[in-house]
Amino acid sequence: MYQKIKGTYDLLPNDTKKWQSLEKTIRSVSKIYNYEEIRTPIFENTELFHRSVGEETDIVSKETYDFIDRGKRHITLRPEGTAPVARSYIENKLYADKLPVKKLYYMGPMFRYERPQKGRYRQFAQFGAEAFGSTSPLLDAEIISYAVSVIKALKIKDVEVHVNSIGDQESKVMYKEALIAYLEKDVQTLCSDCQKRFETNPLRILDCKVDKDTELLKNAPKPLDYLNEESKTHFNKLLAYLDAMEIKYVIDRNLVRGLDYYTHTVFEVNANLETLGAQNTICGGGRYNHLVSSLGGPDIPGVGFAFGLERLMFALESVNFKGTPDYLHLYLMILGEEQKEDGIRLLNRCRIGGLFSDIDFLDKNLKAQFKLADNMNARFIAIYGANEKAKGEINVKDKDTGKEITIKSSQLYNHIITELMNPNHSCETCEEDSCDDCE
Ligand code: AMP
């Protein structure tokens, strides 16, 4: 028997219902913020990630799924979405679009060869957003507000927004020098990864999971203390805009985030929920002013975020999220082979009219079909047997009201629609994700 690959998972129908609801909420919040969806390929040239995410990052140096295709090209399964979206933005010249600030979002699978555990997978899904074309801190604030609104729309509580600034290139260089000078004599005490990072990418030492809580790192210089005037102004304005948007945040002076392309704002959203386990960062993002130009595009800045959808699903367990209710409007019982053609004509008419409808395919008896209708959570059960066919009628039972009547079979669709529109009814037909009446 074959088994799924380590670090992957199947989403079975009970799960996909919840995922669809999650995706629906994400799409509606994206519409509210006027972000448009973009879909890029799952694999890209390996070089793209080396140039953008950075050679020395864990993602690129240890975690990518790389292969050489039959045309001898170096290919990588995308480990994140920003670089592919930036590549597409440049290649499709979206910067020449009539909207000078291009606001995009994406959802889809990413691949990282990480040690699997709860909330950490080798194939996982991200929802991310990227906004290109403005250096204004207002766009940073909007991106954070968009992320927070998704969390609010999902009714997830106990989240903390952590923000920091690593400054522009000049500030980053100044900070890097200070950090190197500070760590130089104690490099040997750092973990082996950080000893390498000291040579290649010292900034990353600050958010090393192993060394983070050591006295050495706690007392290390912080990026905020090395911001030049322009970077300080950017950060202060961001905080003022967040205040104006009534978004609560904490300034996290240690936050640098793992990827090379960030400048100025970096942020993360952590959820302090038992259902999440150790992997409690549900969203991370930041500004990247030079990513587009470093990939050969024009000098256009950007800012974005990415959520891990599995972690959002775990967070949703804490609010007892059920997803779209599972129901049918109509279960049609066709009794007897001779009734099948007329019966499926009725079924077809109901489906064309948009009623969620189903029938039996195994010639089950009446009792078994009632059970099936129950399992499918059908509101209306219609019985169409030889008697009904002879009289041009059909028997319809409303499971919600208990009402049972016999009507002209040609009226089946109209009858159900009329009953569904009855304002006294609620739950299964109201199509709300969480209807007070049906809870
Ligand atoms: P990053 O691209 O590393 O900033 O990650 C953004 C978000 O994606 C994180 O905050 C997580 O929610 C999620 N994420 C990253 N790596 C994984 C993984 N291996 N498995 C599941 N979720 C992940």
Side-chain angles (χ1 to χ4, degrees), residues 38-56:
I38 184 165
R39 299 186 191 191
T40 63
I42 278 169
F43 51 69
E44 297 273 354
N45 283 312
T46 297
E47 178 67 15
L48 174 69
F49 300 107
H50 285 243
R51 285 270 295 278
S52 54
V53 177
E55 303 271 353
E56 305 305 333

Side-chain angles (χ1 to χ4, degrees), residues 174-193:
M174 284 195 298
Y175 172 66
K176 202 164 138 182
E177 281 170 9
L179 186 65
I180 291 173
Y182 171 82
L183 291 174
E184 213 156 28
K185 54 186 184 314
D186 296 305
V187 181
Q188 302 337 315
T189 67
L190 295 170
C191 75
S192 59
D193 275 346

Side-chain angles (χ1 to χ4, degrees), residues 380-395:
F380 294 93
I381 300 176
I383 303 177
Y384 190 68
N387 269 346
E388 284 80 9
K389 184 179 167 187
K391 294 188 196 154
E393 290 175 348
I394 190 159
N395 176 275

